[in-house]
Amino acid sequence: MGAGSEQARKADYYFMEALRREAAGEPDAAFLMLRRAYMLDSVSGTDVGGLLGARLVALSRGDSVMMSAGVRLLEKHFAANPSDLYAGLNLSHYYERMSLPGKSLAVWATLDSAHSDNPAVVWNRAGREIQFGNRDLALGLLDRLEKMDGMNEGITAQKAQIMVESGDTAAAVAEVRRLLAAKPHDANARVLAASVFGHIGLPDSASAYLDLALELDPTNGAAYFQRALSYKESGRLDEYNAEIADAVRLDDLDLESKLGLLTDYLRQYADSTGRKGEIEDLFSSLVEQYPHEASVHRMFCSYYLVLKDFGHAAEQLGYVADMNPDDGEVWENVIRLYATADSLGASIAAGRQALRYHPDNVGVRRLLSMVYMQDNRLDSAMVELRRLTALTSDDPLELSQTYSTMGDLYQKLECGDSAVVCYEKAIDLDPDNDLALNNYAFYISDLSNAGESKLRNAEEMISRALKLNPGQPTYLDTYAWILFRQAEYKRAKEYIDATMAAIGDDPPAEVLEHAGDIVFMLGQHEQALEYWREALSKEPDNDLLRRKVKHKTYFYE
C-alpha cells in the first residue's frame, strides 16, 4: 500500500474517531481529531473539511482568520456536495450574518434543486426570499409548496401577507377565500381570515369571521387573542379588558392561550397602579384554576417585580420553589426578594427550607449568612460562614468571598484584629476581589488611630478596587473618605461629588454625612449643615449627626 493510501486510511480513522467523540459529548477532542484527519488527507474527500469548516465557524467568535478558514472549507465542501443540508445551512447562516444575502439565497437555490421534494427546504427558501424582498419568487415557491402539502393556514398567511404588502388586497382576499372554501369547518382558517380582513381595513368582516371561528371552536385561543387585539387597536379598551377577563376565566381555554392573553394585557397595563386590582383578580383566577402550574406563579412574580412589590414577588416565587425544590437558583432568588422587601424573617425561613434540599449549596448559605447579618443575628451568620469556609476550601475565588464577608462580620463584632486577618486572607486568595479591597480600605480609613502609612495602604487598595470596578459609588465614597482622613479635602470633594452623581437621587445617610464633613473642612459650613440635616432625617437615632447639626460643626468619634 502506498504512502498516500496509508495517509488516507489514517485520515478515515481520525474522522471516524471524531464522529465517535462528538457523539460521546467530547467536542474539543472531536475538533482535534477532525484537524488531524484534514491534515492527513485534504484532497480525496471534502466531508472532513466540511465538518471542520462548520466547527471553525462556530468557534470563531469574531476571529476573522478562523472564520475565513472555516468558510473556505465549507464552500469547498458544499461545491462538491450540493445536497448536504447541514453544510448548506451553516454556509447560509454565515452569509446572512455577514450581510451577504445574494450568496445566502444562492445556497438555498442550490439546496432546493437538490431537494425539490423536501417541503422544509422549499418553506425555508421561501422565507428567505420574502426576507430579502423577492416577493414574486417567494409566491412561486409557496405555490409549489401548496401543491406538495395542500392548502394550510401557514402557506395562505404568507401568500396573503406578500399580496397585501404588494398592494394587491383583492388577490389577498381571494387567497383567503380559497382557503375558507377548502376548509369550511376549520376555525383557524376563520382566524386567519379575520386577521387579513382586519389588516386591510374591513373590521366588520374580521369580527364576523372571529365569531364564526369561536362558534366552530369555543376554545380557540388564537381567536380570543385576535379579537382582544382588534379591540385594543381600535381604542375600544373597555371591550378589550372584558375580552381578556372572560378568556382568562374560561374553563375550556388552554393555559398557554390564557398566558398569551395575559401577557398582552400586562404590556398594556403593568405599570398602571389603577389596574392593580383587576390584574391581581385575573392572576388569582388563574392560580385557582392552575394552583400547581409554576408558569402561572412565575408570571405573577414578574408582575410584582415590575411594581417593585418584592414581598409579593417572593411569595409567588416561593410557590415555584415548593413545586421545584431541586432548583437551587429559585431558592436563592426567593431569599433575595424577601431580603429586598425587608422581610428578613421570611428570607431566613426560605433559606433554612432551601438548605433542607441543598445543604451544600454555596449560594444559599452565602445569602443566608448575609441576611443573618442584616438581621443582626451575628452568631448565626458566623455559623454559616464557617460552614462556607469548608464548602469553598477548594475554590480560591469562592473562599475569598467567604473570608471577605467574615471580615465584615468581625467588624460588626468589633473584633478588629480578626477582621484584618480575614480581609488579608481574602485578598491573598483573590487579588482582584474588589469588594474585599474596598471594605478593608474603608475599615482602615475609619480607624481613629490610622496613621499615614495605613492610610496610604488604604488608598492603594481602593485605587485597585476602582480600576477593577470603575464608577462604583461605594468605592468612590471610600476613596473620598480616605482622602478626607489624609486632609486632602479638595480631592476628597471631587470623589464625593462623583459618588453623589453616580448614586443619583436619594443618597444614603453615610454618603451625605461624608459630604457634609468634607465641605465643612473647605469652609462651606451652610452646605455642610444641609447635608448633615438630610442625613439625620434618614438616621434620626444617629447621635453623632445630631451633635453636628446641633452645634453646626464637625465632630469625629
Side-chain angles (χ1 to χ4, degrees), residues 430-504:
D430 178 13
D432 291 339
N433 186 333
D434 53 305
L435 185 60
L437 289 165
N438 172 78
N439 293 0
Y440 189 16
F442 188 78
Y443 170 71
I444 292 172
S445 72
D446 215 33
L447 293 172
S448 59
N449 61 349
E452 185 178 339
S453 63
K454 284 188 175 181
L455 290 171
R456 279 201 304 271
N457 185 34
E459 184 178 359
E460 189 273 332
M461 285 192 289
I462 195 59
S463 295
R464 284 164 57 193
L466 276 168
K467 284 178 182 175
L468 292 163
N469 195 346
Q472 215 287 340
T474 301
Y475 300 176
L476 292 168
D477 176 56
T478 297
Y479 208 150
W481 191 242
I482 292 169
L483 292 170
F484 175 86
R485 294 299 315 282
Q486 293 173 313
E488 294 189 37
Y489 302 126
K490 288 184 179 180
R491 286 185 65 204
K493 186 174 186 307
E494 292 175 9
Y495 276 91
I496 203 65
D497 287 347
T499 304
M500 304 276 272
I503 293 172

Side-chain angles (χ1 to χ4, degrees), residues 89-376:
L89 286 170
N90 276 288
L91 201 52
S92 170
H93 288 157
Y94 163 76
Y95 287 143
E96 288 172 18
R97 281 167 54 193
M98 299 305 293
S99 299
L100 298 169
K103 287 192 171 186
S104 175
L105 292 175
V107 169
W108 278 102
T110 301
L111 289 174
D112 188 12
S113 296
H115 301 277
S116 59
D117 58 346
N118 186 325
V121 172
V122 180
W123 175 259
N124 277 284
R125 184 187 175 194
R128 262 64 177 195
E129 298 293 355
I130 293 169
Q131 180 183 349
F132 296 117
N134 301 322
R135 292 170 178 163
D136 290 342
L137 182 53
L139 280 173
L141 290 166
L142 291 168
D143 285 337
R144 262 181 62 203
L145 190 60
E146 197 171 76
K147 289 176 183 176
M148 294 164 63
D149 271 5
M151 296 193 74
N152 64 57
E153 292 81 17
I155 296 172
T156 301
Q158 286 282 28
K159 291 172 75 174
Q161 180 181 341
I162 293 170
M163 292 164 180
V164 169
E165 289 174 354
S166 301
D168 193 349
T169 56
V173 170
E175 195 65 34
V176 169
R177 293 197 187 283
R178 282 182 59 233
L179 177 67
L180 294 172
K183 298 191 171 188
H185 304 296
D186 190 318
N188 288 326
R190 267 72 191 157
V191 175
L192 172 60
S195 176
V196 172
F197 284 118
H199 193 74
I200 63 177
L202 297 171
D204 292 339
S205 296
S207 180
Y209 277 112
L210 286 175
D211 290 341
L212 285 170
L214 287 169
E215 283 179 20
L216 290 166
D217 178 10
T219 67
N220 191 296
Y224 283 104
F225 190 86
Q226 189 68 37
R227 190 155 67 182
L229 197 63
S230 69
Y231 288 146
K232 185 173 73 170
E233 289 176 347
S234 62
R236 297 154 65 186
L237 294 182
D238 288 342
E239 290 167 278
Y240 168 75
N241 299 336
E243 186 73 15
I244 297 290
D246 289 346
V248 167
R249 294 186 174 96
L250 192 67
D251 289 337
D252 295 331
L253 191 61
D254 63 280
L255 177 59
E256 184 179 355
S257 297
K258 291 178 181 180
L259 291 178
L261 287 161
L262 195 51
T263 297
D264 187 76
Y265 190 76
L266 290 176
R267 289 196 192 103
Q268 178 79 11
Y269 294 120
D271 57 351
S272 172
T273 54
R275 287 277 170 187
K276 185 171 182 287
E278 287 89 338
I279 292 172
E280 287 180 325
D281 285 346
L282 290 175
F283 273 117
S284 295
S285 175
L286 273 184
V287 169
E288 186 177 339
Q289 295 170 65
Y290 308 98
H292 304 299
E293 281 290 344
S295 57
V296 174
H297 293 286
R298 282 185 184 276
M299 185 181 281
F300 208 170
C301 170
S302 297
Y303 167 66
Y304 280 126
L305 285 176
V306 170
L307 298 182
K308 294 184 169 51
D309 186 344
F310 301 110
H312 282 108
E315 181 183 355
Q316 291 301 320
L317 198 59
Y319 296 133
V320 177
D322 288 336
M323 294 173 204
N324 304 280
D326 293 335
D327 192 334
E329 187 176 349
V330 172
W331 284 111
E332 289 181 42
N333 286 328
V334 173
I335 297 166
R336 283 193 192 94
L337 286 170
Y338 273 127
T340 304
D342 288 329
S343 298
L344 301 184
S347 181
I348 290 167
R352 286 174 171 168
Q353 189 175 356
L355 288 177
R356 288 202 286 272
Y357 299 104
H358 307 277
D360 295 333
N361 187 300
V362 171
V364 169
R365 287 203 181 273
R366 193 177 300 290
L367 282 167
L368 188 55
S369 69
M370 295 171 70
V371 178
Y372 276 136
M373 288 173 65
Q374 193 176 344
D375 201 32
N376 209 33

Side-chain angles (χ1 to χ4, degrees), residues 7-21 29-30 32-38 40 48:
Q7 284 194 205
R9 192 177 72 176
K10 286 183 179 178
D12 285 343
Y13 165 76
Y14 282 122
F15 179 53
M16 296 306 294
E17 183 65 11
L19 296 179
R20 188 184 73 78
R21 294 293 185 91
L32 291 175
M33 295 296 171
L34 282 173
R35 286 183 63 182
R36 288 179 185 174
Y38 188 74
L40 286 165
V48 175

